[in-house]
Amino acid sequence: MGRGTEVALAVENDDRAADIYGLNFHRANLVRSSVEALFDGELAAPFTASERGIALAVGEVDVLVAGPPCQGHSNLNNHTRREDPRNALYLRAVRAVEVLRPALVVIENVPTVRHDKGGVVERATQVLEAAGFSVASDVFRLVEFGVPQRRRRHILLAAMDDRIDPSVMGRSSSTCDDHAARSVRWAIEDLVDQTTESGPDAASKPAPVNLERMQWLIDQNEYDLPNPMRPKCHHGSHSYTSMYGRLRWDAPAQTITTGFGCMGQGRFVHPAQPRTLTPHEAARLQTLPDFFDLDTRKGRGAWATVIGNAVPPLFIVHLLAPLLGALPSRTVQETRLVDLTSYEPSVPLALIGDSVS
């Protein structure tokens, strides 16, 4: 689009994820902190000392993107679903919007966030509209945006600029009319012979019983494991048909989660080999480009966290590209990069960057 990019502020509480993010975006103003520690004021209340310091440090912001933890809203969470304390972090993103006043806001979550018992989406919409934003939200099937999986996501989009209409998000260039839904084959077939003993191209080591299950699926050319071959808790009636299942070459994958390395956590068995997906394959299915460095020094847990919790970049490209052109062009003065790892609200901070934020 002919524009530069400055990451004026990136907040991440997981050190492993922050390490990988910093490796790939080494000029980003990365803060290793919980978002609620930085944006600690009540909604619609005067700014706290921390918030005033952050607003001064960051300066003008074009786009704010937030991905609050989705596990509390997920249908896979059978214990605290709809009442998980992590759900309140959705509104911390809204508080960040109040403080930073970006021109464009994107908040991503699972579709079931709409059913949170605290009504976080409704509350977020009310607060943002009261702050002068126009707001729209919808649920999107990412396969329609060229992503080779059946992932669905709820997006709340808010705009301060009158030239941006949130209600048109994803409508102008979202569907892939020039080709069919992208498949597992499209994403990972070229990686079949690239497996290694360790690193992102290595599959997890299965227990003997799971190796036997995977080999049976391959030998019998089946995609769903029969109940008698499953754990005892699946011997009766259940709805977990995709668990212990095998992926199909010519269909999109199921939603890639942090559990992609375990056949008991979803349909993650490779279409042609008795193993689960490698981190590299899972990253491909999330449309993370091959040049994204997962850091070979990290372990499988870090890779699973980063890959499984990612928002597929290809989806966001289609979603936001039509809207970014409406943002005003401006120049951000280049200044020094500030280390915020030990940030204290009382310490003034300098704005960083060299183009737009």
Side-chain angles (χ1 to χ4, degrees):
M1 299 185 70
R3 298 195 180 204
T5 302
E6 174 210 0
V7 181
L9 177 66
V11 183
E12 177 55 62
N13 197 33
D14 186 305
D15 277 333
R16 299 173 305 173
D19 287 344
I20 293 175
Y21 182 89
L23 180 65
N24 286 274
F25 303 98
H26 60 276
R27 299 183 64 209
N29 197 17
L30 174 61
V31 181
R32 297 167 185 264
S33 170
S34 61
V35 71
E36 64 268 32
L38 299 181
F39 301 98
D40 56 350
E42 297 297 323
L43 293 178
F47 295 167
T48 66
S50 174
E51 291 169 339
R52 288 194 299 270
I54 289 294
L56 177 65
V58 172
E60 288 187 274
V61 174
D62 297 304
V63 183
L64 185 150
V65 180
C70 63
Q71 288 86 352
H73 302 292
S74 173
N75 280 334
L76 296 176
N77 175 9
N78 290 323
H79 300 289
T80 61
R81 184 169 64 233
R82 323 295 184 235
E83 295 182 295
D84 194 298
R86 291 172 294 185
N87 297 358
L89 290 175
Y90 196 98
L91 296 180
R92 287 298 88 199
V94 176
R95 181 58 175 177
V97 174
E98 288 187 306
V99 173
L100 298 177
R101 305 290 293 177
L104 184 62
V105 179
V106 183
I107 304 179
E108 173 270 345
N109 215 279
V110 293
T112 46
V113 69
R114 297 169 296 171
H115 309 306
D116 171 68
K117 289 188 177 180
V120 291
V121 175
E122 293 80 2
R123 176 65 173 147
T125 301
Q126 293 169 358
V127 171
L128 291 170
E129 288 179 342
F133 288 83
S134 53
V135 183
S137 61
D138 205 348
V139 172
F140 294 91
R141 298 177 63 248
L142 273 57
V143 71
E144 296 178 356
F145 294 77
V147 178
Q149 61 173 298
R150 303 190 185 281
R151 200 180 197 94
R152 296 169 67 244
R153 278 299 182 265
H154 179 271
I155 295 291
L156 183 147
L157 190 72
M160 177 64 72
D161 196 311
D162 292 339
R163 290 169 291 186
I164 300 175
D165 179 6
S167 66
V168 303
M169 62 172 169
R171 301 307 179 199
S172 58
S173 64
S174 63
T175 55
C176 299
D177 294 330
D178 58 338
H179 60 76
R182 284 175 170 155
S183 65
V184 171
R185 186 188 302 279
W186 175 87
I188 68 169
E189 185 179 30
D190 63 309
L191 300 179
V192 167
D193 297 323
Q194 195 168 312
T195 54
T196 57
E197 289 298 317
S198 62
D201 281 302
S204 60
K205 298 292 191 293
V209 65
N210 281 340
L211 179 59
E212 182 181 340
R213 289 162 173 158
M214 290 187 284
Q215 190 64 61
W216 185 91
L217 289 170
I218 299 295
D219 291 345
Q220 302 300 318
N221 196 27
E222 294 287 347
Y223 295 92
D224 297 319
L225 197 68
N227 281 3
M229 295 190 69
R230 292 168 173 260
K232 289 183 179 179
C233 58
H234 284 196
H235 284 188
S237 177
H238 64 84
S239 59
Y240 303 115
T241 54
S242 64
M243 291 182 179
Y244 296 94
R246 172 181 160 222
L247 290 161
R248 296 177 183 269
W249 273 129
D250 297 317
Q254 75 156 72
T255 297
I256 300 299
T257 69
T258 59
F260 64 79
C262 176
M263 74 177 304
Q265 295 194 38
R267 189 179 299 279
F268 298 133
V269 177
H270 190 274
Q273 297 182 349
R275 60 173 178 82
T276 52
L277 294 171
T278 67
H280 190 176
E281 290 167 337
R284 282 276 192 91
L285 291 165
Q286 286 278 56
T287 69
L288 287 169
D290 278 358
F291 61 75
F292 189 83
D293 193 339
L294 290 171
D295 191 350
T296 55
R297 297 167 298 179
K298 296 294 182 188
R300 190 168 300 277
W303 298 327
T305 295
V306 170
I307 295 167
N309 289 334
V311 180
L314 186 58
F315 168 54
I316 297 298
V317 166
H318 284 300
L319 186 75
L320 289 187
L323 303 175
L324 293 177
L327 294 174
S329 298
R330 58 183 176 83
T331 300
V332 175
Q333 297 299 318
E334 183 172 1
T335 57
R336 65 188 179 89
L337 182 65
V338 179
D339 181 7
L340 290 181
T341 54
S342 57
Y343 167 67
E344 295 179 6
S346 61
V347 179
L349 302 171
L351 174 65
I352 66 165
D354 54 20
S355 51
V356 296
S357 60

